[in-house]
Amino acid sequence: GMHELILGGPRSGKSRCAELRAAAWLAQPGHTALLLATALPGDDEMRLRIARHRRDRADQVPALGLVEVPRQLAQAVRDHSAAHCLLVVDCLTMWLANLLMPLQGGTLDEGVWAARRAALCDALFEAPGPVLLVSNEIGLGIAPLTPEARRYVDELGRLHQVIAALCANVTLMVAGIEMPVKRSAA
């Protein structure tokens, strides 16, 4: 499908880019859009951030619906994708963290995680409508110090590669500027 992966560092403008895409989609008659939000509030600061982000987005794109999907992302794509409906996944970074580094401890083993990743890829491949996926490009910094963090960075990089392969468009946000990484021939 006409999916897009939007990558960028913190405050690169990636969520704003996704909002602009959603607003443009919603401007067409009969179109709907739904945000699949993956963030889990682990502490008060995070709760405030999520609330603020939500308020901002409600101001920018009031017609954007919201479904909270901390873990079951593949199922949510299957449940909600439709030809007239744009899904915005914000973000893959948090979804992976919720699975690999959950707040309540315990982590997914290799096989279970591989199955989750494959299920998301299958759901995207079969989605009747467009999906916009937002994620953090964190592979450009220094190597993290703990084995858990190194695994996370490795798995996020692998996830980006398999998702990018399924997307017609990949965009890198740098300082609020869109850099096309991959564009469909269409």
Side-chain angles (χ1 to χ4, degrees):
M2 286 297 293
H3 305 327
E4 181 175 10
L5 175 61
I6 300 175
L7 294 169
R11 293 278 160 267
S12 60
K14 59 188 184 302
S15 289
R16 181 88 188 94
C17 177
E19 285 166 11
L20 289 169
R21 297 270 200 279
W25 174 265
L26 284 162
Q28 300 170 72
H31 279 190
T32 61
L34 195 57
L35 177 78
L36 303 182
T38 60
L40 279 175
D43 52 50
D44 289 339
E45 194 264 347
M46 190 69 184
R47 250 185 292 278
L48 286 170
R49 262 178 184 258
I50 292 172
R52 192 170 58 234
H53 206 102
R54 246 171 228 182
R55 269 197 313 276
D56 292 349
R57 198 158 35 218
D59 292 343
Q60 298 292 337
V61 196
L64 185 63
L66 174 73
V67 180
E68 300 197 13
V69 192
R71 291 190 188 84
Q72 305 297 336
L73 190 53
Q75 192 57 51
V77 170
R78 289 194 183 283
D79 290 347
H80 299 290
S81 181
H84 65 273
C85 180
L86 171 71
L87 298 182
V88 180
V89 176
D90 198 349
C91 62
L92 290 176
T93 326
M94 291 300 296
W95 176 66
L96 182 62
N98 294 340
L99 292 176
L100 290 194
M101 302 192 291
L103 298 165
Q104 63 279 17
T107 182
L108 283 193
D109 71 50
E110 232 20 78
V112 178
W113 159 239
R116 286 289 182 94
R117 185 178 57 206
L120 178 59
C121 288
D122 289 346
L124 289 173
F125 185 74
E126 291 163 17
V131 184
L132 188 55
L133 303 113
V134 177
S135 198
N136 273 64
E137 180 46 81
I138 64 171
L140 300 173
I142 57 171
L145 299 175
T146 69
E148 295 78 18
R150 283 194 293 271
R151 181 194 178 202
Y152 176 82
V153 171
D154 285 349
E155 291 301 342
L156 185 63
R158 285 192 193 105
L159 178 64
H160 288 165
Q161 290 194 33
V162 296
I163 298 292
L166 287 165
C167 288
N169 297 317
V170 178
T171 300
L172 178 65
M173 293 299 298
V174 180
I177 298 164
E178 286 184 36
M179 297 183 66
V181 176
K182 176 186 177 183
R183 287 292 178 259
S184 65

